[in-house]
PDB file of all heavy atoms in Angstrom:
ATOM      1  N   MET A   1       0.774  -1.191   0.009  1.00  0.00           N
ATOM      2  CA  MET A   1      -0.006  -0.035   0.056  1.00  0.00           C
ATOM      3  C   MET A   1       0.772   1.263   0.011  1.00  0.00           C
ATOM      4  O   MET A   1       0.678   2.192  -0.739  1.00  0.00           O
ATOM      5  CB  MET A   1      -0.979  -0.022   1.229  1.00  0.00           C
ATOM      6  CG  MET A   1      -1.942   1.071   1.263  1.00  0.00           C
ATOM      7  SD  MET A   1      -3.040   1.126   2.702  1.00  0.00           S
ATOM      8  CE  MET A   1      -1.781   1.390   4.026  1.00  0.00           C
ATOM      9  N   VAL A   2       1.941   1.274   0.807  1.00  0.00           N
ATOM     10  CA  VAL A   2       2.835   2.473   0.873  1.00  0.00           C
ATOM     11  C   VAL A   2       3.532   2.615  -0.407  1.00  0.00           C
ATOM     12  O   VAL A   2       3.584   3.653  -1.013  1.00  0.00           O
ATOM     13  CB  VAL A   2       3.892   2.267   1.957  1.00  0.00           C
ATOM     14  CG1 VAL A   2       4.956   3.389   1.949  1.00  0.00           C
ATOM     15  CG2 VAL A   2       3.185   2.289   3.414  1.00  0.00           C
ATOM     16  N   ILE A   3       3.884   1.623  -1.069  1.00  0.00           N
ATOM     17  CA  ILE A   3       4.685   1.701  -2.348  1.00  0.00           C
ATOM     18  C   ILE A   3       3.630   2.170  -3.516  1.00  0.00           C
ATOM     19  O   ILE A   3       4.028   3.096  -4.246  1.00  0.00           O
ATOM     20  CB  ILE A   3       5.299   0.286  -2.821  1.00  0.00           C
ATOM     21  CG1 ILE A   3       6.440  -0.078  -1.823  1.00  0.00           C
ATOM     22  CG2 ILE A   3       5.703   0.394  -4.289  1.00  0.00           C
ATOM     23  CD1 ILE A   3       7.592   1.000  -1.935  1.00  0.00           C
ATOM     24  N   GLY A   4       2.456   1.727  -3.451  1.00  0.00           N
ATOM     25  CA  GLY A   4       1.436   2.148  -4.441  1.00  0.00           C
ATOM     26  C   GLY A   4       1.170   3.639  -4.297  1.00  0.00           C
ATOM     27  O   GLY A   4       1.162   4.350  -5.250  1.00  0.00           O
ATOM     28  N   LEU A   5       0.968   4.147  -2.977  1.00  0.00           N
ATOM     29  CA  LEU A   5       0.790   5.539  -2.834  1.00  0.00           C
ATOM     30  C   LEU A   5       2.028   6.299  -3.149  1.00  0.00           C
ATOM     31  O   LEU A   5       1.802   7.420  -3.789  1.00  0.00           O
ATOM     32  CB  LEU A   5       0.382   5.854  -1.329  1.00  0.00           C
ATOM     33  CG  LEU A   5      -1.004   5.306  -0.919  1.00  0.00           C
ATOM     34  CD1 LEU A   5      -1.096   5.434   0.642  1.00  0.00           C
ATOM     35  CD2 LEU A   5      -2.124   6.023  -1.551  1.00  0.00           C
ATOM     36  N   ALA A   6       3.141   5.925  -2.900  1.00  0.00           N
ATOM     37  CA  ALA A   6       4.298   6.650  -3.183  1.00  0.00           C
ATOM     38  C   ALA A   6       4.609   6.732  -4.721  1.00  0.00           C
ATOM     39  O   ALA A   6       4.968   7.809  -5.216  1.00  0.00           O
ATOM     40  CB  ALA A   6       5.529   5.837  -2.618  1.00  0.00           C
ATOM     41  N   MET A   7       4.187   5.746  -5.516  1.00  0.00           N
ATOM     42  CA  MET A   7       4.251   5.801  -6.841  1.00  0.00           C
ATOM     43  C   MET A   7       3.323   6.859  -7.496  1.00  0.00           C
ATOM     44  O   MET A   7       3.670   7.571  -8.435  1.00  0.00           O
ATOM     45  CB  MET A   7       4.021   4.445  -7.622  1.00  0.00           C
ATOM     46  CG  MET A   7       5.217   3.500  -7.371  1.00  0.00           C
ATOM     47  SD  MET A   7       6.783   4.135  -7.907  1.00  0.00           S
ATOM     48  CE  MET A   7       7.564   4.711  -6.407  1.00  0.00           C
ATOM     49  N   ASN A   8       2.056   6.884  -7.061  1.00  0.00           N
ATOM     50  CA  ASN A   8       1.120   7.899  -7.414  1.00  0.00           C
ATOM     51  C   ASN A   8       1.557   9.279  -7.142  1.00  0.00           C
ATOM     52  O   ASN A   8       1.588  10.136  -7.962  1.00  0.00           O
ATOM     53  CB  ASN A   8      -0.260   7.649  -6.798  1.00  0.00           C
ATOM     54  CG  ASN A   8      -1.001   6.556  -7.572  1.00  0.00           C
ATOM     55  OD1 ASN A   8      -1.239   6.738  -8.802  1.00  0.00           O
ATOM     56  ND2 ASN A   8      -1.394   5.556  -6.895  1.00  0.00           N
ATOM     57  N   VAL A   9       2.048   9.580  -5.952  1.00  0.00           N
ATOM     58  CA  VAL A   9       2.625  10.827  -5.528  1.00  0.00           C
ATOM     59  C   VAL A   9       3.778  11.219  -6.448  1.00  0.00           C
ATOM     60  O   VAL A   9       3.977  12.429  -6.769  1.00  0.00           O
ATOM     61  CB  VAL A   9       2.884  10.797  -4.070  1.00  0.00           C
ATOM     62  CG1 VAL A   9       3.573  12.183  -3.633  1.00  0.00           C
ATOM     63  CG2 VAL A   9       1.612  10.702  -3.227  1.00  0.00           C
ATOM     64  N   ALA A  10       4.644  10.228  -6.610  1.00  0.00           N
ATOM     65  CA  ALA A  10       5.892  10.633  -7.460  1.00  0.00           C
ATOM     66  C   ALA A  10       5.473  10.999  -8.846  1.00  0.00           C
ATOM     67  O   ALA A  10       6.275  11.748  -9.486  1.00  0.00           O
ATOM     68  CB  ALA A  10       6.791   9.313  -7.526  1.00  0.00           C
ATOM     69  N   GLN A  11       4.360  10.483  -9.426  1.00  0.00           N
ATOM     70  CA  GLN A  11       4.107  10.788 -10.805  1.00  0.00           C
ATOM     71  C   GLN A  11       3.372  12.121 -10.876  1.00  0.00           C
ATOM     72  O   GLN A  11       3.708  12.932 -11.706  1.00  0.00           O
ATOM     73  CB  GLN A  11       3.123   9.638 -11.349  1.00  0.00           C
ATOM     74  CG  GLN A  11       3.917   8.284 -11.613  1.00  0.00           C
ATOM     75  CD  GLN A  11       2.987   7.364 -12.371  1.00  0.00           C
ATOM     76  OE1 GLN A  11       2.775   7.491 -13.530  1.00  0.00           O
ATOM     77  NE2 GLN A  11       2.596   6.336 -11.590  1.00  0.00           N
ATOM     78  N   VAL A  12       2.415  12.385 -10.083  1.00  0.00           N
ATOM     79  CA  VAL A  12       1.534  13.535 -10.218  1.00  0.00           C
ATOM     80  C   VAL A  12       1.426  14.430  -9.001  1.00  0.00           C
ATOM     81  O   VAL A  12       0.699  15.444  -8.958  1.00  0.00           O
ATOM     82  CB  VAL A  12       0.019  13.108 -10.633  1.00  0.00           C
ATOM     83  CG1 VAL A  12       0.116  12.419 -11.862  1.00  0.00           C
ATOM     84  CG2 VAL A  12      -0.552  12.262  -9.616  1.00  0.00           C
ATOM     85  N   GLY A  13       2.202  14.108  -7.936  1.00  0.00           N
ATOM     86  CA  GLY A  13       2.061  14.854  -6.614  1.00  0.00           C
ATOM     87  C   GLY A  13       0.898  14.340  -5.917  1.00  0.00           C
ATOM     88  O   GLY A  13       0.117  13.385  -6.289  1.00  0.00           O
ATOM     89  N   PHE A  14       0.686  14.988  -4.684  1.00  0.00           N
ATOM     90  CA  PHE A  14      -0.394  14.626  -3.735  1.00  0.00           C
ATOM     91  C   PHE A  14      -1.680  15.378  -4.117  1.00  0.00           C
ATOM     92  O   PHE A  14      -1.828  16.594  -3.750  1.00  0.00           O
ATOM     93  CB  PHE A  14      -0.098  14.821  -2.323  1.00  0.00           C
ATOM     94  CG  PHE A  14      -1.025  14.305  -1.465  1.00  0.00           C
ATOM     95  CD1 PHE A  14      -0.965  12.983  -1.106  1.00  0.00           C
ATOM     96  CD2 PHE A  14      -1.958  15.186  -0.769  1.00  0.00           C
ATOM     97  CE1 PHE A  14      -1.927  12.400  -0.175  1.00  0.00           C
ATOM     98  CE2 PHE A  14      -2.846  14.482   0.095  1.00  0.00           C
ATOM     99  CZ  PHE A  14      -2.875  13.184   0.392  1.00  0.00           C
ATOM    100  N   HIS A  15      -2.474  14.798  -5.016  1.00  0.00           N
ATOM    101  CA  HIS A  15      -3.770  15.446  -5.458  1.00  0.00           C
ATOM    102  C   HIS A  15      -4.855  14.388  -5.310  1.00  0.00           C
ATOM    103  O   HIS A  15      -4.723  13.252  -5.677  1.00  0.00           O
ATOM    104  CB  HIS A  15      -3.710  15.904  -6.867  1.00  0.00           C
ATOM    105  CG  HIS A  15      -2.732  16.972  -7.092  1.00  0.00           C
ATOM    106  ND1 HIS A  15      -2.878  18.320  -6.737  1.00  0.00           N
ATOM    107  CD2 HIS A  15      -1.451  16.980  -7.678  1.00  0.00           C
ATOM    108  CE1 HIS A  15      -1.875  19.032  -6.966  1.00  0.00           C
ATOM    109  NE2 HIS A  15      -0.917  18.211  -7.603  1.00  0.00           N
ATOM    110  N   PHE A  16      -5.996  14.911  -4.715  1.00  0.00           N
ATOM    111  CA  PHE A  16      -7.244  13.977  -4.670  1.00  0.00           C
ATOM    112  C   PHE A  16      -8.340  14.610  -5.365  1.00  0.00           C
ATOM    113  O   PHE A  16      -8.777  15.785  -5.119  1.00  0.00           O
ATOM    114  CB  PHE A  16      -7.478  13.670  -3.186  1.00  0.00           C
ATOM    115  CG  PHE A  16      -8.737  12.884  -3.030  1.00  0.00           C
ATOM    116  CD1 PHE A  16      -8.572  11.544  -3.163  1.00  0.00           C
ATOM    117  CD2 PHE A  16      -9.965  13.407  -2.633  1.00  0.00           C
ATOM    118  CE1 PHE A  16      -9.711  10.645  -3.022  1.00  0.00           C
ATOM    119  CE2 PHE A  16     -11.032  12.590  -2.484  1.00  0.00           C
ATOM    120  CZ  PHE A  16     -10.933  11.145  -2.705  1.00  0.00           C
ATOM    121  N   SER A  17      -8.944  13.816  -6.252  1.00  0.00           N
ATOM    122  CA  SER A  17     -10.081  14.377  -7.116  1.00  0.00           C
ATOM    123  C   SER A  17     -11.261  13.286  -7.047  1.00  0.00           C
ATOM    124  O   SER A  17     -11.035  12.156  -7.250  1.00  0.00           O
ATOM    125  CB  SER A  17      -9.644  14.614  -8.544  1.00  0.00           C
ATOM    126  OG  SER A  17     -10.763  15.058  -9.310  1.00  0.00           O
ATOM    127  N   THR A  18     -12.417  13.877  -6.936  1.00  0.00           N
ATOM    128  CA  THR A  18     -13.641  13.046  -6.899  1.00  0.00           C
ATOM    129  C   THR A  18     -14.378  13.119  -8.221  1.00  0.00           C
ATOM    130  O   THR A  18     -15.446  12.501  -8.414  1.00  0.00           O
ATOM    131  CB  THR A  18     -14.624  13.411  -5.832  1.00  0.00           C
ATOM    132  OG1 THR A  18     -14.969  14.802  -6.054  1.00  0.00           O
ATOM    133  CG2 THR A  18     -13.977  13.318  -4.422  1.00  0.00           C
ATOM    134  N   GLU A  19     -13.764  13.715  -9.318  1.00  0.00           N
ATOM    135  CA  GLU A  19     -14.373  13.960 -10.541  1.00  0.00           C
ATOM    136  C   GLU A  19     -14.596  12.599 -11.217  1.00  0.00           C
ATOM    137  O   GLU A  19     -15.654  12.362 -11.762  1.00  0.00           O
ATOM    138  CB  GLU A  19     -13.553  14.862 -11.466  1.00  0.00           C
ATOM    139  CG  GLU A  19     -14.092  15.148 -12.795  1.00  0.00           C
ATOM    140  CD  GLU A  19     -15.160  16.264 -12.681  1.00  0.00           C
ATOM    141  OE1 GLU A  19     -15.100  16.942 -11.585  1.00  0.00           O
ATOM    142  OE2 GLU A  19     -15.862  16.434 -13.637  1.00  0.00           O
ATOM    143  N   LYS A  20     -13.705  11.635 -11.082  1.00  0.00           N
ATOM    144  CA  LYS A  20     -13.860  10.416 -11.782  1.00  0.00           C
ATOM    145  C   LYS A  20     -14.807   9.485 -11.114  1.00  0.00           C
ATOM    146  O   LYS A  20     -15.433   8.651 -11.677  1.00  0.00           O
ATOM    147  CB  LYS A  20     -12.468   9.659 -11.847  1.00  0.00           C
ATOM    148  CG  LYS A  20     -11.371  10.340 -12.655  1.00  0.00           C
ATOM    149  CD  LYS A  20     -11.592  10.324 -14.107  1.00  0.00           C
ATOM    150  CE  LYS A  20     -10.483  10.846 -14.837  1.00  0.00           C
ATOM    151  NZ  LYS A  20     -10.742  10.858 -16.303  1.00  0.00           N
ATOM    152  N   LEU A  21     -15.071   9.837  -9.849  1.00  0.00           N
ATOM    153  CA  LEU A  21     -16.057   8.994  -9.109  1.00  0.00           C
ATOM    154  C   LEU A  21     -17.519   9.524  -9.199  1.00  0.00           C
ATOM    155  O   LEU A  21     -18.385   8.728  -8.907  1.00  0.00           O
ATOM    156  CB  LEU A  21     -15.618   9.018  -7.607  1.00  0.00           C
ATOM    157  CG  LEU A  21     -14.260   8.508  -7.189  1.00  0.00           C
ATOM    158  CD1 LEU A  21     -14.091   8.685  -5.699  1.00  0.00           C
ATOM    159  CD2 LEU A  21     -14.103   7.109  -7.684  1.00  0.00           C
ATOM    160  N   SER A  22     -17.684  10.687  -9.731  1.00  0.00           N
ATOM    161  CA  SER A  22     -19.000  11.313  -9.819  1.00  0.00           C
ATOM    162  C   SER A  22     -19.729  10.644 -10.934  1.00  0.00           C
ATOM    163  O   SER A  22     -19.185  10.110 -11.887  1.00  0.00           O
ATOM    164  CB  SER A  22     -18.924  12.691 -10.018  1.00  0.00           C
ATOM    165  OG  SER A  22     -18.132  13.023 -11.195  1.00  0.00           O
ATOM    166  N   PHE A  23     -21.020  10.619 -10.837  1.00  0.00           N
ATOM    167  CA  PHE A  23     -21.954  10.040 -11.853  1.00  0.00           C
ATOM    168  C   PHE A  23     -22.043  10.917 -13.107  1.00  0.00           C
ATOM    169  O   PHE A  23     -22.322  12.115 -12.897  1.00  0.00           O
ATOM    170  CB  PHE A  23     -23.262   9.614 -11.268  1.00  0.00           C
ATOM    171  CG  PHE A  23     -24.277   9.124 -12.208  1.00  0.00           C
ATOM    172  CD1 PHE A  23     -24.135   7.842 -12.667  1.00  0.00           C
ATOM    173  CD2 PHE A  23     -25.294   9.920 -12.768  1.00  0.00           C
ATOM    174  CE1 PHE A  23     -25.007   7.374 -13.611  1.00  0.00           C
ATOM    175  CE2 PHE A  23     -26.201   9.420 -13.644  1.00  0.00           C
ATOM    176  CZ  PHE A  23     -26.049   8.058 -14.190  1.00  0.00           C
ATOM    177  N   ASN A  24     -21.714  10.308 -14.231  1.00  0.00           N
ATOM    178  CA  ASN A  24     -21.818  11.086 -15.469  1.00  0.00           C
ATOM    179  C   ASN A  24     -22.801  10.287 -16.424  1.00  0.00           C
ATOM    180  O   ASN A  24     -22.423   9.216 -16.844  1.00  0.00           O
ATOM    181  CB  ASN A  24     -20.451  11.217 -16.098  1.00  0.00           C
ATOM    182  CG  ASN A  24     -20.407  12.009 -17.339  1.00  0.00           C
ATOM    183  OD1 ASN A  24     -21.501  12.534 -17.750  1.00  0.00           O
ATOM    184  ND2 ASN A  24     -19.356  12.203 -17.955  1.00  0.00           N
ATOM    185  N   PRO A  25     -24.045  10.846 -16.678  1.00  0.00           N
ATOM    186  CA  PRO A  25     -25.026  10.006 -17.556  1.00  0.00           C
ATOM    187  C   PRO A  25     -24.380   9.775 -18.977  1.00  0.00           C
ATOM    188  O   PRO A  25     -24.743   8.854 -19.538  1.00  0.00           O
ATOM    189  CB  PRO A  25     -26.185  11.041 -17.600  1.00  0.00           C
ATOM    190  CG  PRO A  25     -26.022  11.794 -16.410  1.00  0.00           C
ATOM    191  CD  PRO A  25     -24.528  12.038 -16.105  1.00  0.00           C
ATOM    192  N   GLY A  26     -23.360  10.665 -19.347  1.00  0.00           N
ATOM    193  CA  GLY A  26     -22.862  10.466 -20.729  1.00  0.00           C
ATOM    194  C   GLY A  26     -22.076   9.106 -20.878  1.00  0.00           C
ATOM    195  O   GLY A  26     -21.967   8.675 -21.940  1.00  0.00           O
ATOM    196  N   ARG A  27     -21.689   8.626 -19.742  1.00  0.00           N
ATOM    197  CA  ARG A  27     -20.862   7.321 -19.903  1.00  0.00           C
ATOM    198  C   ARG A  27     -21.804   6.184 -20.079  1.00  0.00           C
ATOM    199  O   ARG A  27     -21.394   5.116 -20.429  1.00  0.00           O
ATOM    200  CB  ARG A  27     -20.191   7.095 -18.473  1.00  0.00           C
ATOM    201  CG  ARG A  27     -19.036   8.093 -18.135  1.00  0.00           C
ATOM    202  CD  ARG A  27     -18.613   7.892 -16.730  1.00  0.00           C
ATOM    203  NE  ARG A  27     -17.593   8.888 -16.317  1.00  0.00           N
ATOM    204  CZ  ARG A  27     -17.053   9.069 -15.214  1.00  0.00           C
ATOM    205  NH1 ARG A  27     -17.377   8.276 -14.202  1.00  0.00           N
ATOM    206  NH2 ARG A  27     -16.181  10.105 -14.940  1.00  0.00           N
ATOM    207  N   LEU A  28     -23.138   6.426 -19.909  1.00  0.00           N
ATOM    208  CA  LEU A  28     -24.140   5.368 -20.227  1.00  0.00           C
ATOM    209  C   LEU A  28     -24.489   5.324 -21.618  1.00  0.00           C
ATOM    210  O   LEU A  28     -25.232   4.361 -22.159  1.00  0.00           O
ATOM    211  CB  LEU A  28     -25.383   5.535 -19.341  1.00  0.00           C
ATOM    212  CG  LEU A  28     -25.134   5.495 -17.813  1.00  0.00           C
ATOM    213  CD1 LEU A  28     -26.473   5.637 -17.074  1.00  0.00           C
ATOM    214  CD2 LEU A  28     -24.402   4.169 -17.365  1.00  0.00           C
ATOM    215  N   ASN A  29     -24.021   6.288 -22.445  1.00  0.00           N
ATOM    216  CA  ASN A  29     -24.418   6.479 -23.925  1.00  0.00           C
ATOM    217  C   ASN A  29     -23.768   5.276 -24.630  1.00  0.00           C
ATOM    218  O   ASN A  29     -22.418   5.217 -24.633  1.00  0.00           O
ATOM    219  CB  ASN A  29     -24.026   7.709 -24.420  1.00  0.00           C
ATOM    220  CG  ASN A  29     -24.483   7.970 -25.721  1.00  0.00           C
ATOM    221  OD1 ASN A  29     -24.836   7.065 -26.508  1.00  0.00           O
ATOM    222  ND2 ASN A  29     -24.544   9.290 -26.170  1.00  0.00           N
ATOM    223  N   PRO A  30     -24.351   4.246 -25.217  1.00  0.00           N
ATOM    224  CA  PRO A  30     -23.710   3.217 -25.915  1.00  0.00           C
ATOM    225  C   PRO A  30     -22.878   3.647 -27.073  1.00  0.00           C
ATOM    226  O   PRO A  30     -21.928   3.012 -27.464  1.00  0.00           O
ATOM    227  CB  PRO A  30     -24.972   2.308 -26.377  1.00  0.00           C
ATOM    228  CG  PRO A  30     -26.121   3.177 -26.318  1.00  0.00           C
ATOM    229  CD  PRO A  30     -25.884   4.308 -25.279  1.00  0.00           C
ATOM    230  N   ILE A  31     -23.293   4.687 -27.782  1.00  0.00           N
ATOM    231  CA  ILE A  31     -22.471   5.306 -28.949  1.00  0.00           C
ATOM    232  C   ILE A  31     -21.100   5.733 -28.430  1.00  0.00           C
ATOM    233  O   ILE A  31     -20.128   5.376 -29.150  1.00  0.00           O
ATOM    234  CB  ILE A  31     -23.287   6.302 -29.627  1.00  0.00           C
ATOM    235  CG1 ILE A  31     -24.612   5.809 -30.212  1.00  0.00           C
ATOM    236  CG2 ILE A  31     -22.411   6.881 -30.795  1.00  0.00           C
ATOM    237  CD1 ILE A  31     -25.509   6.793 -30.905  1.00  0.00           C
ATOM    238  N   SER A  32     -21.139   6.619 -27.404  1.00  0.00           N
ATOM    239  CA  SER A  32     -19.817   7.088 -26.935  1.00  0.00           C
ATOM    240  C   SER A  32     -19.020   5.902 -26.344  1.00  0.00           C
ATOM    241  O   SER A  32     -17.794   5.871 -26.405  1.00  0.00           O
ATOM    242  CB  SER A  32     -20.055   8.305 -25.935  1.00  0.00           C
ATOM    243  OG  SER A  32     -20.940   7.681 -24.790  1.00  0.00           O
ATOM    244  N   GLY A  33     -19.725   4.869 -25.590  1.00  0.00           N
ATOM    245  CA  GLY A  33     -18.994   3.805 -25.192  1.00  0.00           C
ATOM    246  C   GLY A  33     -18.368   2.996 -26.181  1.00  0.00           C
ATOM    247  O   GLY A  33     -17.325   2.487 -26.113  1.00  0.00           O
ATOM    248  N   PHE A  34     -19.114   2.810 -27.333  1.00  0.00           N
ATOM    249  CA  PHE A  34     -18.527   2.155 -28.395  1.00  0.00           C
ATOM    250  C   PHE A  34     -17.348   2.802 -29.117  1.00  0.00           C
ATOM    251  O   PHE A  34     -16.342   2.112 -29.484  1.00  0.00           O
ATOM    252  CB  PHE A  34     -19.575   1.871 -29.502  1.00  0.00           C
ATOM    253  CG  PHE A  34     -19.320   0.951 -30.644  1.00  0.00           C
ATOM    254  CD1 PHE A  34     -19.230  -0.486 -30.531  1.00  0.00           C
ATOM    255  CD2 PHE A  34     -18.847   1.544 -31.852  1.00  0.00           C
ATOM    256  CE1 PHE A  34     -18.794  -1.224 -31.580  1.00  0.00           C
ATOM    257  CE2 PHE A  34     -18.457   0.706 -32.952  1.00  0.00           C
ATOM    258  CZ  PHE A  34     -18.491  -0.601 -32.787  1.00  0.00           C
ATOM    259  N   GLY A  35     -17.375   4.119 -29.044  1.00  0.00           N
ATOM    260  CA  GLY A  35     -16.265   4.965 -29.513  1.00  0.00           C
ATOM    261  C   GLY A  35     -15.038   4.812 -28.658  1.00  0.00           C
ATOM    262  O   GLY A  35     -13.902   4.762 -29.164  1.00  0.00           O
TER     263      GLY A  35
END
């Protein structure tokens, strides 16, 4: 766990974002998903 966190911090610094976890109805679009 420590190594995994250290590698993430080494690449992009210590940043936490909930944007990827938020619900996006556009992701349910089969056409965009196929793309």
Side-chain angles (χ1 to χ4, degrees):
M1 183 177 68
V2 170
I3 292 297
L5 289 174
M7 288 301 101
N8 275 302
V9 172
Q11 291 187 73
V12 297
F14 190 77
H15 297 284
F16 181 75
S17 174
T18 59
E19 185 77 18
K20 298 289 185 180
L21 302 178
S22 59
F23 177 71
N24 184 4
R27 296 174 184 170
L28 302 178
N29 188 341
I31 297 176
S32 59
F34 188 78

